[in-house]
Amino acid sequence: QTPYVSGVGSIMYGMVCSRPDLAHAVSIISRFMGDSGSAHWEALKWALMYLNGSLKAGLRYKKTALEATITGYVDADFAGNVNTRKSLTGYVFTLYGTAISWKANQQSVVALSTTQAEYMALAEVVEEAIWLKGMVNKLRIPQSCVTIHCDSQSVIHLANHQSYHERTKHIDVELHFIEYVIDSKKVKVEKVSTKENPADMFTKSLSSVKFKHCLDLINFEDA
């Protein structure tokens, strides 16, 4: 085992809790903590070099003229793990335009299509939306229906119309769960352009320009 498995690996897990810009990198690197090699060590060093160059960066929380509503964004990278072909789920929620919750994690089962991977990601983000809605309501910031933005038109159509076909027969439980939540007006799912979806940075490597734009969308700034 390389030294970062127990030492730096733990540091990276701690950093991702307050650095959404590191979520994707940590998600990828952590897959190999039990069987790491030189390539993984080099990837970790690049992540630490990036961190060292952005020590003053962080989320800027401020009350703005924006309506105090929770907004979610979700994305998935179909079969992104070349070893297991499991997909990667990424999501972020904002309040007053700033990120309050985010995640980049590998899905537990292998999706059989892009639609299935995206829909499994949506099911996870809907659960988080319900939990956040309850928590923010307790803070006396009233929430009604949480809007979740997705850049997959097929998934949005499936969520809103619950059509059943061969590409979705393996996700019947998620279908009924999301159908119930949407019908109860707890969440709604809407289309967002891929260019304006900050969850994109949690599922794949991006150009520096696109990465910076995603950070701007969640008010992550360099002080």
Side-chain angles (χ1 to χ4, degrees):
Q1 285 189 330
T2 51
Y4 82 86
V5 172
S6 58
V8 182
S10 298
I11 296 174
M12 290 290 285
Y13 270 122
M15 291 188 301
V16 77
C17 294
S18 59
R19 294 288 300 255
D21 55 330
L22 290 170
H24 180 251
V26 172
S27 175
I28 299 299
I29 295 171
S30 62
R31 295 176 189 173
F32 305 97
M33 289 179 63
D35 185 22
S36 55
S38 59
H40 311 119
W41 174 243
E42 290 300 318
L44 178 63
K45 288 197 292 185
W46 276 107
L48 292 175
M49 287 171 61
Y50 165 78
L51 178 64
N52 186 58
S54 58
L55 292 176
K56 295 182 179 181
L59 292 165
R60 183 178 294 276
Y61 293 96
K62 54 186 177 182
K63 192 171 183 178
T64 69
L66 294 173
E67 189 177 355
T69 55
I70 299 171
T71 303
Y73 300 87
V74 63
D75 192 28
D77 178 28
F78 173 58
N81 189 324
V82 296
N83 296 316
T84 65
R85 287 307 176 189
K86 289 183 178 179
S87 303
L88 185 65
T89 291
Y91 68 73
V92 60
F93 285 90
T94 62
L95 183 64
Y96 290 115
T98 303
I100 59 171
S101 175
W102 59 87
K103 191 174 185 180
N105 71 298
Q106 189 171 254
Q107 295 180 357
S108 59
V109 299
V110 178
L112 301 181
S113 67
T114 300
T115 299
Q116 184 178 351
E118 295 268 8
Y119 207 85
M120 288 165 61
L122 180 61
E124 185 172 355
V125 82
V126 165
E127 289 187 71
E128 181 73 2
I130 294 172
W131 181 82
L132 283 174
K133 181 174 180 285
M135 184 183 71
V136 173
N137 277 330
K138 289 181 180 178
L139 296 175
R140 298 184 180 179
I141 307 177
Q143 301 294 310
S144 53
C145 184
V146 177
T147 300
I148 298 174
H149 295 284
C150 175
D151 57 19
S152 171
Q153 190 63 58
S154 62
V155 169
I156 294 171
H157 178 79
L158 183 60
N160 289 319
H161 301 285
Q162 301 298 319
S163 56
Y164 184 88
H165 49 74
E166 286 299 309
R167 296 175 66 190
T168 59
K169 66 180 182 180
H170 299 286
I171 50 174
D172 189 49
V173 174
E174 285 91 345
L175 279 169
H176 290 292
F177 168 66
I178 294 178
E179 179 183 20
Y180 165 75
V181 174
I182 290 177
D183 286 347
S184 63
K185 308 298 183 183
K186 294 180 180 179
V187 303
K188 60 181 177 180
V189 184
E190 295 184 352
K191 181 75 168 67
V192 67
S193 166
T194 299
K195 294 181 179 179
E196 300 301 319
N197 186 0
D200 207 31
M201 69 177 179
F202 296 107
T203 60
K204 58 185 69 70
S205 298
L206 303 174
S207 68
S208 58
V209 174
K210 176 63 186 296
F211 184 62
K212 176 63 166 59
H213 181 59
C214 287
L215 293 177
D216 290 341
L217 290 173
I218 61 170
N219 281 346
F220 187 91
E221 303 174 5
D222 195 352

